[in-house]
Amino acid sequence: MEKTGNTYEELVQLKESEEIGWREFIRRQPEMENDYYHWCVENDLDMNEDTAEAFMTLTEEHVVA
């Protein structure tokens, strides 16, 4: 059964324990999902695990910078 409505901290724990991947991590956060979708469209990319990881890396770098 799929859990929904997780907090960000819960999602981080699920990702770290490898229960979910980057794509699912993003999918469970509607605002982030919307940003990811637009980023993929603008860059002509498929929505998959690899692009989800790249999006998260770029997002984290932008937040830290």
Side-chain angles (χ1 to χ4, degrees):
M1 181 179 340
E2 182 178 310
K3 252 179 109 175
T4 57
N6 301 98
T7 66
Y8 183 81
E9 291 76 19
E10 289 171 332
L11 291 173
V12 169
Q13 289 175 351
L14 289 170
K15 176 63 184 108
E16 288 176 351
S17 66
E18 298 181 358
E19 292 181 48
I20 63 172
W22 286 118
R23 183 68 191 95
E24 183 66 15
F25 183 87
I26 291 171
R27 191 189 70 75
R28 293 190 187 190
Q29 301 172 80
E31 186 174 319
M32 185 177 288
E33 172 77 357
N34 187 48
D35 292 344
Y36 171 63
Y37 169 78
H38 288 289
W39 180 78
C40 285
V41 169
E42 290 171 4
N43 292 286
D44 195 28
L45 300 169
D46 291 330
M47 294 175 74
N48 58 42
E49 190 65 19
D50 292 334
T51 59
E53 182 176 6
F55 177 78
M56 289 303 299
T57 300
L58 289 172
T59 302
E60 289 172 358
E61 288 174 359
H62 179 61
V63 170
V64 172

